[in-house]
Amino acid sequence: MSADIFHFLLFFICGLIVLSNMSRENCLFCKIAAGEIASAKVYEDAVCVAFDDVSPQAPTHILIVPREHFDSLDKARENHKETLGHLLLIAGKIARDKGFAENGYRTVINTNGDGGQTVFHLHVHLLGGRPFIFPPG
Ligand code: AMP
Ligand code: ZN
């Protein structure tokens, strides 16, 4: 490999790393998970943090967020399998702990523009305390 190509690849890879870290540094949910922005936390462990949504769409509306940043379900890969499973198991646990599991609840993952995603750090919405219709709007 010539020195020119090597330097081009080096700068290209460094650029990609800088860009991906910039999105993490400016990420609202990374900051909430790290405790740098306040939230009403309801649960946390080594993998995820759960906190009340600021704009609740149901009597209980909790967001479950992985500590690891990835933008959306569209960006999830094989290495995220355990994390994704964990988020859903924690949603079920919180629903049972809050006492609305038996009545029922809704879990939602909005993905990209048409999916209605507004915060690009993957998260699971857990909504409970009222009946939900299907299909959603
Ligand atoms: P989505 O539209 O699926 O990306 O969901 C983003 C959710 O984050 C919305 O339901 C917002 O109300 C919620 N949200 C935005 N900012 C905050 C915040 N600082 N604390 C808690 N929830 C937030
Ligand atoms: Zn993030």
Side-chain angles (χ1 to χ4, degrees), residues 28-29 32 37 51-55 61 63 110 116-119 123 125:
L28 173 65
F29 288 174
I32 288 179
I37 289 181
F51 51 90
D52 289 333
D53 195 296
V54 277
S55 176
H61 185 173
L63 301 175
N110 296 323
Q117 186 175 5
T118 58
V119 178
H123 50 281
H125 295 257

mmCIF file of all heavy atoms in Angstrom, residues 28-29 32 37 51-55 61 63 110 116-119 123 125, ligand 1:
data_model
loop_
_atom_site.group_PDB
_atom_site.id
_atom_site.type_symbol
_atom_site.label_atom_id
_atom_site.label_comp_id
_atom_site.label_asym_id
_atom_site.label_seq_id
_atom_site.Cartn_x
_atom_site.Cartn_y
_atom_site.Cartn_z
ATOM 1 N N LEU A 28 -28.859 13.397 24.049
ATOM 2 C CA LEU A 28 -29.646 13.636 25.259
ATOM 3 C C LEU A 28 -29.704 12.389 26.152
ATOM 4 O O LEU A 28 -29.489 12.471 27.365
ATOM 5 C CB LEU A 28 -31.061 14.062 24.838
ATOM 6 C CG LEU A 28 -32.099 14.215 25.941
ATOM 7 C CD1 LEU A 28 -31.701 15.351 26.880
ATOM 8 C CD2 LEU A 28 -33.476 14.461 25.344
ATOM 9 N N PHE A 29 -29.992 11.230 25.562
ATOM 10 C CA PHE A 29 -30.180 10.032 26.388
ATOM 11 C C PHE A 29 -28.852 9.487 26.908
ATOM 12 O O PHE A 29 -28.817 8.882 27.983
ATOM 13 C CB PHE A 29 -30.982 8.972 25.636
ATOM 14 C CG PHE A 29 -32.448 9.307 25.478
ATOM 15 C CD1 PHE A 29 -33.291 8.516 24.708
ATOM 16 C CD2 PHE A 29 -32.997 10.423 26.108
ATOM 17 C CE1 PHE A 29 -34.639 8.823 24.572
ATOM 18 C CE2 PHE A 29 -34.338 10.752 25.966
ATOM 19 C CZ PHE A 29 -35.159 9.949 25.196
ATOM 20 N N ILE A 32 -28.466 11.642 29.962
ATOM 21 C CA ILE A 32 -29.372 11.203 31.037
ATOM 22 C C ILE A 32 -28.838 9.910 31.657
ATOM 23 O O ILE A 32 -28.763 9.781 32.886
ATOM 24 C CB ILE A 32 -30.810 11.027 30.504
ATOM 25 C CG1 ILE A 32 -31.426 12.402 30.232
ATOM 26 C CG2 ILE A 32 -31.670 10.242 31.501
ATOM 27 C CD1 ILE A 32 -32.843 12.373 29.667
ATOM 28 N N ILE A 37 -27.665 14.899 32.858
ATOM 29 C CA ILE A 37 -28.929 15.646 32.750
ATOM 30 C C ILE A 37 -29.918 14.938 33.665
ATOM 31 O O ILE A 37 -29.980 13.693 33.687
ATOM 32 C CB ILE A 37 -29.439 15.684 31.292
ATOM 33 C CG1 ILE A 37 -28.527 16.597 30.451
ATOM 34 C CG2 ILE A 37 -30.885 16.166 31.218
ATOM 35 C CD1 ILE A 37 -28.947 16.733 29.007
ATOM 36 N N PHE A 51 -36.509 5.849 32.916
ATOM 37 C CA PHE A 51 -36.936 7.106 33.548
ATOM 38 C C PHE A 51 -38.257 7.559 32.932
ATOM 39 O O PHE A 51 -38.626 7.135 31.819
ATOM 40 C CB PHE A 51 -35.851 8.200 33.386
ATOM 41 C CG PHE A 51 -35.375 8.387 31.971
ATOM 42 C CD1 PHE A 51 -35.994 9.281 31.111
ATOM 43 C CD2 PHE A 51 -34.307 7.639 31.473
ATOM 44 C CE1 PHE A 51 -35.565 9.442 29.794
ATOM 45 C CE2 PHE A 51 -33.863 7.791 30.147
ATOM 46 C CZ PHE A 51 -34.488 8.695 29.322
ATOM 47 N N ASP A 52 -38.965 8.420 33.676
ATOM 48 C CA ASP A 52 -40.259 8.915 33.203
ATOM 49 C C ASP A 52 -40.092 9.781 31.959
ATOM 50 O O ASP A 52 -39.181 10.626 31.904
ATOM 51 C CB ASP A 52 -40.937 9.758 34.299
ATOM 52 C CG ASP A 52 -41.429 8.905 35.455
ATOM 53 O OD1 ASP A 52 -41.728 7.714 35.237
ATOM 54 O OD2 ASP A 52 -41.498 9.442 36.584
ATOM 55 N N ASP A 53 -40.980 9.587 30.985
ATOM 56 C CA ASP A 53 -41.006 10.462 29.809
ATOM 57 C C ASP A 53 -41.501 11.845 30.244
ATOM 58 O O ASP A 53 -42.441 11.948 31.036
ATOM 59 C CB ASP A 53 -41.943 9.861 28.744
ATOM 60 C CG ASP A 53 -41.752 10.502 27.382
ATOM 61 O OD1 ASP A 53 -42.025 11.721 27.247
ATOM 62 O OD2 ASP A 53 -41.324 9.798 26.453
ATOM 63 N N VAL A 54 -40.877 12.913 29.744
ATOM 64 C CA VAL A 54 -41.294 14.274 30.137
ATOM 65 C C VAL A 54 -42.661 14.655 29.591
ATOM 66 O O VAL A 54 -43.274 15.604 30.079
ATOM 67 C CB VAL A 54 -40.320 15.392 29.680
ATOM 68 C CG1 VAL A 54 -39.176 15.559 30.604
ATOM 69 C CG2 VAL A 54 -39.901 15.262 28.258
ATOM 70 N N SER A 55 -43.084 13.947 28.552
ATOM 71 C CA SER A 55 -44.369 14.276 27.946
ATOM 72 C C SER A 55 -45.222 13.004 27.911
ATOM 73 O O SER A 55 -45.424 12.391 26.853
ATOM 74 C CB SER A 55 -44.123 14.823 26.536
ATOM 75 O OG SER A 55 -45.313 15.062 25.878
ATOM 76 N N HIS A 61 -45.649 6.381 31.707
ATOM 77 C CA HIS A 61 -44.927 6.408 30.424
ATOM 78 C C HIS A 61 -43.442 6.504 30.761
ATOM 79 O O HIS A 61 -42.944 7.552 31.166
ATOM 80 C CB HIS A 61 -45.380 7.592 29.575
ATOM 81 C CG HIS A 61 -44.756 7.615 28.200
ATOM 82 N ND1 HIS A 61 -45.141 8.521 27.240
ATOM 83 C CD2 HIS A 61 -43.778 6.857 27.609
ATOM 84 C CE1 HIS A 61 -44.439 8.324 26.135
ATOM 85 N NE2 HIS A 61 -43.590 7.316 26.348
ATOM 86 N N LEU A 63 -39.337 5.507 29.685
ATOM 87 C CA LEU A 63 -38.400 5.199 28.595
ATOM 88 C C LEU A 63 -37.296 4.310 29.144
ATOM 89 O O LEU A 63 -36.745 4.602 30.218
ATOM 90 C CB LEU A 63 -37.793 6.486 28.034
ATOM 91 C CG LEU A 63 -38.781 7.495 27.477
ATOM 92 C CD1 LEU A 63 -38.051 8.783 27.070
ATOM 93 C CD2 LEU A 63 -39.547 6.929 26.291
ATOM 94 N N ASN A 110 -39.994 3.397 18.353
ATOM 95 C CA ASN A 110 -40.139 4.187 17.124
ATOM 96 C C ASN A 110 -38.797 4.204 16.396
ATOM 97 O O ASN A 110 -37.753 4.407 17.025
ATOM 98 C CB ASN A 110 -40.558 5.623 17.466
ATOM 99 C CG ASN A 110 -41.932 5.681 18.113
ATOM 100 O OD1 ASN A 110 -42.823 4.918 17.743
ATOM 101 N ND2 ASN A 110 -42.104 6.563 19.085
ATOM 102 N N GLY A 116 -41.614 7.830 13.544
ATOM 103 C CA GLY A 116 -41.893 8.859 14.546
ATOM 104 C C GLY A 116 -40.786 9.036 15.574
ATOM 105 O O GLY A 116 -40.995 9.640 16.623
ATOM 106 N N GLN A 117 -39.567 8.544 15.253
ATOM 107 C CA GLN A 117 -38.469 8.686 16.224
ATOM 108 C C GLN A 117 -37.970 10.131 16.239
ATOM 109 O O GLN A 117 -37.762 10.738 15.184
ATOM 110 C CB GLN A 117 -37.311 7.745 15.846
ATOM 111 C CG GLN A 117 -36.193 7.734 16.882
ATOM 112 C CD GLN A 117 -35.104 6.698 16.566
ATOM 113 O OE1 GLN A 117 -35.132 6.052 15.514
ATOM 114 N NE2 GLN A 117 -34.156 6.558 17.467
ATOM 115 N N THR A 118 -37.823 10.681 17.448
ATOM 116 C CA THR A 118 -37.342 12.061 17.576
ATOM 117 C C THR A 118 -36.016 12.138 18.325
ATOM 118 O O THR A 118 -35.280 13.103 18.168
ATOM 119 C CB THR A 118 -38.373 12.951 18.298
ATOM 120 O OG1 THR A 118 -38.644 12.388 19.584
ATOM 121 C CG2 THR A 118 -39.666 13.069 17.506
ATOM 122 N N VAL A 119 -35.720 11.146 19.156
ATOM 123 C CA VAL A 119 -34.424 11.119 19.865
ATOM 124 C C VAL A 119 -33.659 9.899 19.347
ATOM 125 O O VAL A 119 -34.124 8.763 19.484
ATOM 126 C CB VAL A 119 -34.610 11.030 21.392
ATOM 127 C CG1 VAL A 119 -33.251 10.944 22.088
ATOM 128 C CG2 VAL A 119 -35.389 12.237 21.922
ATOM 129 N N HIS A 123 -34.480 3.532 22.227
ATOM 130 C CA HIS A 123 -35.181 3.460 23.510
ATOM 131 C C HIS A 123 -36.496 2.718 23.326
ATOM 132 O O HIS A 123 -37.097 2.737 22.247
ATOM 133 C CB HIS A 123 -35.437 4.863 24.088
ATOM 134 C CG HIS A 123 -36.058 5.810 23.113
ATOM 135 N ND1 HIS A 123 -35.338 6.444 22.128
ATOM 136 C CD2 HIS A 123 -37.345 6.214 22.960
ATOM 137 C CE1 HIS A 123 -36.147 7.202 21.413
ATOM 138 N NE2 HIS A 123 -37.376 7.080 21.894
ATOM 139 N N HIS A 125 -40.336 2.604 24.704
ATOM 140 C CA HIS A 125 -41.394 3.261 25.479
ATOM 141 C C HIS A 125 -42.183 2.164 26.196
ATOM 142 O O HIS A 125 -42.585 1.170 25.577
ATOM 143 C CB HIS A 125 -42.382 3.997 24.570
ATOM 144 C CG HIS A 125 -41.810 5.155 23.819
ATOM 145 N ND1 HIS A 125 -42.039 6.468 24.186
ATOM 146 C CD2 HIS A 125 -41.034 5.212 22.705
ATOM 147 C CE1 HIS A 125 -41.435 7.278 23.319
ATOM 148 N NE2 HIS A 125 -40.820 6.538 22.419
HETATM 149 P P1 AMP B 1 -39.255 9.063 20.231
HETATM 150 O O1 AMP B 1 -40.140 10.090 19.595
HETATM 151 O O2 AMP B 1 -39.715 7.648 20.096
HETATM 152 O O3 AMP B 1 -37.821 9.262 19.769
HETATM 153 O O4 AMP B 1 -39.326 9.336 21.788
HETATM 154 C C1 AMP B 1 -38.603 10.338 22.422
HETATM 155 C C2 AMP B 1 -39.277 10.575 23.728
HETATM 156 O O5 AMP B 1 -38.375 11.263 24.561
HETATM 157 C C3 AMP B 1 -40.549 11.431 23.651
HETATM 158 O O6 AMP B 1 -41.654 10.689 24.154
HETATM 159 C C4 AMP B 1 -40.206 12.637 24.513
HETATM 160 O O7 AMP B 1 -41.319 13.102 25.258
HETATM 161 C C5 AMP B 1 -39.117 12.095 25.403
HETATM 162 N N1 AMP B 1 -38.178 13.073 25.952
HETATM 163 C C6 AMP B 1 -37.564 14.083 25.307
HETATM 164 N N2 AMP B 1 -36.737 14.741 26.151
HETATM 165 C C7 AMP B 1 -36.825 14.106 27.346
HETATM 166 C C8 AMP B 1 -36.206 14.308 28.626
HETATM 167 N N3 AMP B 1 -35.318 15.289 28.839
HETATM 168 N N4 AMP B 1 -36.541 13.485 29.645
HETATM 169 C C9 AMP B 1 -37.454 12.500 29.456
HETATM 170 N N5 AMP B 1 -38.050 12.253 28.267
HETATM 171 C C10 AMP B 1 -37.746 13.046 27.217
#
